[in-house]
Amino acid sequence: AQRVTQPEKLLSVFKGAPVELKCNYSYSGSPELFWYVQYSRQRLQLLLRHISRESIKGFTADLNKGETSFHLKKPFAQEEDSAMYYCALRSGGYQKVTFGTGTKLQVIP
Amino acid sequence: GAVVSQHPSWVICKSGTSVKIECRSLDFQATTMFWYRQFPKQSLMLMATSNEGSKATYEQGVEKDKFLINHASLTLSTLTVTSAHPEDSSFYICSARKRAGYTDTQYFGPGTRLTVL
């Protein structure tokens, strides 16, 4: 069975402070990991995926297979980063995506 | 772009009635669509995977006869909540899978708020 764990329901940081949203997963195969973001009153949208190794809006995430983690990081938080963030795992050919419970990021001005 | 729409955005119905929710991929074809349910302040729970031209694959614990899914075309999937009851009140979200080269991405609809009285 696949599982995604986001231990923090709420993370509050000051503007300009570093951000790290934690995500751990359990899956027996080779997973694809994603971060989705949902801004207030907007639909869920893809932020980044581990295979792309990209930086989106200053956010990065590195897949650590040893620690089964895929933490989302940003060196300097901005107010517009305030949103709900979901870590997600996609498995194999079936393409089933499992979401974590989400972390609400609140950036304090 | 890749836009997914849902209709209606909200619906209120009486207990015992059926409600149909539509999910459309507006500018791409989607052989696979997914239906999720989200309770307040909780994560998205996958209900079923909808495949164009074939039967949907339901997750464990989801009643097939209660949540009817039809994926009749490459741009439309429908979820019908049959004989709805108050406990079916929830936020239903669909997503459509778009393939581009070697990557594929799920694009989400805005969701449908169902309230059963």
Side-chain angles (χ1 to χ4, degrees):
Chain A
Q2 55 197 66
R3 180 183 292 182
V4 178
T5 303
Q6 293 180 251
E8 304 142 328
K9 283 192 172 182
L10 172 66
L11 181 65
S12 296
V13 300
F14 285 101
K15 178 182 174 182
V19 174
E20 182 177 49
L21 300 170
K22 297 189 188 305
C23 172
N24 289 89
Y25 67 90
S26 63
Y27 180 59
S28 56
S30 284
E32 287 184 77
L33 275 298
F34 304 82
W35 276 99
Y36 285 85
V37 60
Q38 188 170 28
Y39 299 102
S40 179
R41 302 191 180 200
Q42 294 188 28
R43 68 186 70 193
L44 202 65
Q45 56 184 292
L46 178 67
L47 180 62
L48 53 80
R49 63 183 86 199
H50 90 269
I51 57 173
S52 300
R53 293 184 167 272
E54 56 200 343
S55 173
I56 303 293
K57 299 183 179 182
F59 284 98
T60 59
D62 291 318
L63 178 61
N64 186 322
K65 291 186 177 181
E67 296 182 359
T68 60
S69 68
F70 187 57
H71 303 326
L72 183 68
K73 300 177 183 179
K74 183 170 182 175
F76 308 103
Q78 302 298 315
E79 289 181 62
E80 55 266 28
D81 296 329
S82 295
M84 196 74 182
Y85 291 81
Y86 292 94
C87 181
L89 179 155
R90 184 165 69 187
S91 60
Y94 186 54
Q95 301 295 313
K96 173 182 174 178
V97 177
T98 299
F99 285 85
T101 50
T103 298
K104 183 176 181 178
L105 175 63
Q106 186 178 59
V107 181
I108 304 166
Chain B
V3 180
V4 175
S5 70
Q6 278 184 246
H7 178 79
S9 55
W10 60 269
V11 57
I12 301 172
C13 70
K14 292 183 178 180
S15 185
T17 61
S18 294
V19 175
K20 180 186 282 188
I21 302 170
E22 293 185 350
C23 177
R24 292 182 186 272
S25 55
L26 298 184
D27 49 2
F28 66 99
Q29 294 182 331
T31 55
T32 305
M33 292 185 174
F34 302 89
W35 285 96
Y36 295 86
R37 185 172 178 176
Q38 186 177 33
F39 291 102
K41 300 186 179 181
Q42 294 190 31
S43 186
L44 285 76
M45 298 298 295
L46 180 64
M47 297 174 65
T49 302
S50 171
N51 300 294
E52 188 268 335
S54 65
K55 292 183 179 179
T57 304
Y58 290 82
E59 294 300 300
Q60 194 172 14
V62 178
E63 297 177 59
K64 300 178 184 181
D65 295 332
K66 178 152 191 70
F67 299 100
L68 300 178
I69 291 173
N70 187 355
H71 194 157
S73 78
L74 289 172
T75 59
L76 173 64
S77 175
T78 61
L79 169 69
T80 302
V81 183
T82 63
S83 187
H85 290 284
E87 57 265 29
D88 299 323
S89 298
S90 191
F91 196 56
Y92 293 87
I93 303 171
C94 75
S95 71
R97 182 180 163 198
K98 179 182 180 182
R99 284 186 163 170
Y102 292 107
T103 63
D104 68 73
T105 303
Q106 279 194 44
Y107 292 91
F108 286 82
T112 297
R113 172 80 57 195
L114 170 63
T115 301
V116 184
L117 302 177

